[in-house]
């Protein structure tokens, strides 16, 4: 079983599309946690991602989505887990040029891994191991 967290802020229609696609393309058992920011408390995205991590920490594999991102193919989670195990990377973030500039590409155990100067955070994977060793998101920045 995997853990899936979604962060959202007042976008129910987009959130529903995200949930529908996760249900459609996730072919294994999973726990889903939705962290909703609101006008009332405005905690911010880092706080809400930490909320997801806290509630999904019992899972070995944790995936975090922003509400406007979702899988489009069956078996999406299997590919990410296989790549993590093969490359010994316990975390991945989805980035894409031109939004985030590519810094370099590396080959690890025969797989090409792209490295970026900044993290996009729209779709992220973390093993429980990296969360236990490193912790979660720094929440003292502005409400980005």
């Amino acid at each position: 079983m995997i853990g899936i967290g979604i962060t959202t802020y007042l976008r129910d229609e987009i959130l529903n599309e995200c949930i529908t696609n996760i249900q459609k393309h996730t072919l294994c058992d999973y726990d889903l946690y939705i962290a909703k920011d609101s006008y009332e408390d405005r905690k911010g995205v880092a706080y809400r991602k930490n909320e997801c991590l806290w509630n999904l920490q019992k899972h070995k594999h944790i995936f975090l989505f922003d509400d406007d991102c979702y899988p489009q193919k069956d078996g999406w989670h299997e590919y990410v887990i296989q790549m993590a195990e093969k490359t010994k990377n316990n975390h991945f973030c989805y980035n894409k040029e031109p939004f985030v500039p590519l810094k370099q590409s590396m080959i690890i155990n025969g797989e090409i891994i792209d490295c970026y100067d900044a993290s996009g955070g729209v779709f992220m994977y973390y093993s429980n191991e990296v969360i236990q060793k490193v912790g979660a998101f720094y929440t003292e920045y502005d409400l980005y």
Side-chain angles (χ1 to χ4, degrees):
M1 184 181 289
I2 61 174
I4 300 174
I6 303 172
T7 52
T8 187
Y9 180 70
L10 303 173
R11 302 192 309 181
D12 288 340
E13 187 173 317
I14 292 172
L15 174 62
N16 288 334
E17 184 177 3
C18 178
I19 294 168
T20 297
N21 280 284
I22 287 172
Q23 291 170 335
K24 178 179 177 181
H25 296 294
T26 307
L27 307 178
C28 70
D29 291 335
Y30 61 92
D31 282 334
L32 179 64
Y33 184 84
I34 300 169
K36 289 186 174 187
D37 217 0
S38 67
Y39 283 128
E40 291 79 33
D41 60 10
R42 296 283 314 236
K43 299 282 186 173
V45 69
Y47 180 91
R48 296 301 175 202
K49 288 191 184 302
N50 286 345
E51 183 180 328
C52 289
L53 292 174
W54 174 257
N55 284 282
L56 299 169
Q57 66 182 324
K58 68 179 180 182
H59 297 285
K60 183 176 179 182
H61 304 285
I62 302 168
F63 298 88
L64 300 180
F65 288 90
D66 285 357
D67 59 8
D68 59 354
C69 178
Y70 50 79
Q72 296 180 328
K73 293 185 178 181
D74 295 350
W76 63 272
H77 63 285
E78 293 167 350
Y79 174 76
V80 174
I81 292 169
Q82 288 170 359
M83 289 297 290
E85 290 172 350
K86 187 171 186 178
T87 63
K88 306 294 187 235
N89 266 326
N90 288 304
H91 67 286
F92 289 101
C93 296
Y94 174 77
N95 288 310
K96 188 170 184 172
E97 293 186 290
F99 305 110
V100 180
L102 178 64
K103 182 178 180 180
Q104 70 180 19
S105 293
M106 303 176 356
I107 298 176
I108 302 174
N109 292 336
E111 298 295 336
I112 297 173
I113 304 294
D114 291 333
C115 303
Y116 297 86
D117 279 331
S119 175
V122 175
F123 168 75
M124 295 181 272
Y125 160 79
Y126 294 97
S127 72
N128 183 281
E129 179 182 355
V130 78
I131 298 301
Q132 297 304 317
K133 289 181 180 179
V134 177
F137 293 92
Y138 181 71
T139 59
E140 297 304 312
Y141 291 118
D142 289 335
L143 298 175
Y144 53 89

